[in-house]
Amino acid sequence: MNLKNNLVRELIPNAEGYTFGYKHEDSIWPVWHYHSEIDILLFVDSNGQHITGDYIGSFAPGTLLVNGPNVPHGFTSDPPLIKESADPAIIVLQFSEESIGRELLSKPEMKLINDFIQSTSRSFEFFGETRDQATQILKEIQHSQNAQRIGLLLSLLETLALAPAHDKRSLVSELYCPVLSEKNIKRIETIRTWVMLHLTEKMSVEEAAEQINMPPKSFAYFFKKNTGKTFVQYVKELRISLACQKLLNTKLRILEICYMSGYNNLSNFNRQFMEVKNMTPTTFRQKLKRLTKRID
């Protein structure tokens, strides 16, 4: 895969000065990238894995993420997305402080929303009633016009800002601070793509370093600085995330998922899963089935 021409700093035009961008996408953009706008992402007809800053997780129909400004992120559908319905793969809403207006955000009535916007540097996933309410508002925006659209945006942001603790979790750690440059992001994308292609195989730091022509010791420092993880931890969390995806979206036996996720020993798989998720694969499947539901 030739990545040299991929645009890794996404440029989002503020079309004709609108307050926010809203679109339905039929596919998941797989390139590791970043932008100054805040994303609200609702996955509708897609399953896979996402990397948000130094967090690795899974997405499925109904997953609702808020990605903060300049937080690198990327998505992988595994297996490749095959659409079986007319629904979009993902609904994307994008805005910034500037597009809403700093003067408006400084008003007393906007304090709750402004505080939430400032907190998005951590990025969030939303669940439960908050997710359901936000999903309904996102659907309504598609058919709205003019000032009604802005009103729905503010209602959406207030809904997210009011989310109780059990309806959300932050994704990006407080200490995560990558060196954002197109060169660094392209290097990480090269590694990310290579890892995903070989996720079920044995991989070494030396092999990974070769992908970007870097000595292993330099690579180890570079990778930890820009992903917040060691290479070994990164691969482990991707494999566990792949396992989570299959636990959630298939009825495969745990032993089958173990092998499909790059492990050849069930006890080792269970131990690694527990280290990452603080629960067994069986408990994870039961818990996430209750939390996640398909959008009607």
Side-chain angles (χ1 to χ4, degrees), residues 50-68:
H50 72 94
I51 305 175
T52 301
D54 59 351
Y55 178 85
I56 296 174
S58 301
F59 63 84
T63 298
L64 179 64
L65 304 179
V66 172
N67 194 66

Side-chain angles (χ1 to χ4, degrees), residues 190-191 194 198 206-214:
T190 299
I191 297 301
W194 178 77
H198 302 278
E206 290 75 18
E207 289 175 307
E210 287 177 4
Q211 306 307 308
I212 55 174
N213 301 314
M214 189 176 284

Side-chain angles (χ1 to χ4, degrees), residues 271-288:
R271 183 173 61 254
Q272 301 283 352
F273 196 99
M274 178 68 77
E275 287 181 8
V276 174
K277 294 297 181 182
N278 294 315
M279 64 184 80
T280 66
T282 300
T283 301
F284 177 88
R285 174 175 262 172
Q286 294 169 345
K287 182 177 180 181
L288 266 289

Side-chain angles (χ1 to χ4, degrees), residues 54-112:
D54 59 351
Y55 178 85
I56 296 174
S58 301
F59 63 84
T63 298
L64 179 64
L65 304 179
V66 172
N67 194 66
N70 293 317
V71 175
H73 54 289
F75 311 100
T76 302
S77 294
D78 186 23
L81 177 65
I82 300 175
K83 288 188 58 56
E84 298 177 349
S85 74
D87 293 331
I90 184 172
I91 296 174
V92 181
L93 188 152
Q94 295 169 318
F95 69 96
S96 65
E97 289 183 70
E98 291 75 13
S99 68
I100 292 179
R102 293 184 186 276
E103 183 176 355
L104 175 61
L105 288 170
S106 69
K107 302 296 183 183
E109 298 90 339
M110 295 290 290
K111 185 179 187 307
L112 186 67

Side-chain angles (χ1 to χ4, degrees), residues 202 255 258-269:
K202 288 186 177 180
L255 182 61
C258 163
Y259 295 143
M260 295 174 69
S261 302
Y263 294 92
N264 55 19
N265 181 288
L266 183 58
S267 61
N268 182 44
F269 170 67

Side-chain angles (χ1 to χ4, degrees), residues 32-173:
W32 178 251
H33 65 288
Y34 69 102
H35 46 73
S36 60
E37 290 78 11
I38 296 167
D39 279 332
I40 299 179
L41 307 169
L42 176 65
F43 295 87
V44 181
D45 188 17
S46 53
N47 296 275
Q49 297 165 278
H50 72 94
I51 305 175
T52 301
D54 59 351
Y55 178 85
I56 296 174
S58 301
F59 63 84
T63 298
L64 179 64
L65 304 179
V66 172
N67 194 66
N70 293 317
V71 175
H73 54 289
F75 311 100
T76 302
S77 294
D78 186 23
L81 177 65
I82 300 175
K83 288 188 58 56
E84 298 177 349
S85 74
D87 293 331
I90 184 172
I91 296 174
V92 181
L93 188 152
Q94 295 169 318
F95 69 96
S96 65
E97 289 183 70
E98 291 75 13
S99 68
I100 292 179
R102 293 184 186 276
E103 183 176 355
L104 175 61
L105 288 170
S106 69
K107 302 296 183 183
E109 298 90 339
M110 295 290 290
K111 185 179 187 307
L112 186 67
I113 289 176
N114 188 43
D115 288 347
F116 170 70
I117 289 174
Q118 301 308 313
S119 75
T120 59
S121 60
R122 298 285 305 280
S123 298
F124 296 101
E125 181 173 0
F126 290 88
F127 308 94
E129 187 175 345
T130 299
R131 182 191 61 188
D132 295 343
Q133 292 174 357
T135 295
Q136 184 59 43
I137 296 171
L138 279 165
K139 289 180 178 180
E140 292 177 17
I141 289 175
Q142 181 184 5
H143 306 291
S144 65
Q145 297 181 29
N146 304 320
Q148 184 186 29
R149 285 170 58 85
I150 298 176
L152 287 170
L153 170 66
L154 297 181
S155 178
L156 173 62
L157 294 177
E158 187 168 68
T159 297
L160 298 176
L162 288 169
H166 60 267
D167 270 5
K168 70 176 182 180
R169 67 175 170 212
S170 58
L171 304 180
V172 179
S173 66

